[in-house]
Amino acid sequence: MVDIRIVPDKATLGARAAALGAQAIREAQSRFGHANIIVATGASQFELLQNLVAAEGIDWSKVTAFHLDEYVGLSEEHPASFRRYLRLRFMTPLGNAPAFVPVDGEGDPQAETARLNGLIAGKRIDVCFAGIGENCHIAFNDPPADFDTEQPYIVVTL
């Protein structure tokens, strides 16, 4: 089912998306005792994350947050690091309560994707917080995207 909602501005979109996502997390925790989520970065996520970390009724100690993507070869200290972005805007406000599975961009990309694919394999993903880019990209999977892959994490050439 596709559910399209038109809102007047980015602030409203972030607040509504966070409210819907928070509800999905609470429902997963109620049903399964734990929630698995995917968190992304980018300008589209500023308001969403700000509202999500303020959401009430979520036991963040019962959440595993999988990081969506990262630049190969980029240290976490670099200002463009997505790990850094998420630690500042998501993990720190929550007191580092969720279990966080970051994408390590500094090691061997093939080994890192194998590690991540092993960690996420068989997991139920309750909600994914990801924006869609101006050219319809999701994460680094820019058009023409690889729709035939079976792997959750892949290395792409930008």
Side-chain angles (χ1 to χ4, degrees), residues 38 68 109-122 125 138-139 141 145-156:
I38 297 175
L68 184 64
Q110 298 304 329
E112 180 61 359
T113 56
R115 179 187 78 86
L116 293 165
N117 287 334
L119 290 172
I120 204 168
I125 302 301
I138 297 176
N141 209 356
D146 180 358
F147 292 110
D148 295 325
T149 186
E150 297 288 326
Q151 299 299 316
Y153 288 92
I154 60 173
V155 176
V156 297

Side-chain angles (χ1 to χ4, degrees), residues 4 26 28 31 37 53 61 73 85-86 88-90 98 104 108-109 126 130 132 157-158:
I4 297 173
R26 288 189 292 269
R31 185 170 178 196
I37 67 173
V53 299
S61 70
Y85 172 115
L86 287 171
L88 291 173
R89 290 180 173 85
F90 181 67
D104 182 356
D108 171 31
D126 299 299
I132 299 173
T157 301
L158 300 178

Side-chain angles (χ1 to χ4, degrees), residues 1-109:
M1 176 179 114
V2 175
D3 180 2
I4 297 173
R5 299 174 189 204
I6 307 297
V7 297
D9 54 44
K10 191 176 171 194
T12 304
L13 177 61
R16 289 192 186 171
L20 289 168
Q23 182 59 33
I25 293 169
R26 288 189 292 269
E27 288 172 5
Q29 287 182 333
S30 176
R31 185 170 178 196
F32 305 109
H34 186 87
N36 296 303
I37 67 173
I38 297 175
V39 288
T41 59
S44 66
Q45 303 300 300
F46 291 151
E47 291 82 3
L48 177 129
L49 291 173
Q50 181 181 9
N51 286 280
L52 184 63
V53 299
E56 296 181 2
I58 296 173
D59 183 347
W60 288 103
S61 70
K62 296 180 180 175
V63 172
T64 298
F66 291 90
H67 176 189
L68 184 64
D69 56 5
E70 183 61 275
Y71 290 105
V72 171
L74 201 64
S75 78
E76 189 169 344
E77 291 74 36
H78 192 282
S81 167
F82 295 159
R83 286 168 287 165
R84 180 176 184 268
Y85 172 115
L86 287 171
R87 289 194 196 282
L88 291 173
R89 290 180 173 85
F90 181 67
M91 295 299 293
T92 298
L94 294 173
N96 294 310
F100 182 52
V101 180
V103 177
D104 182 356
E106 295 178 76
D108 171 31

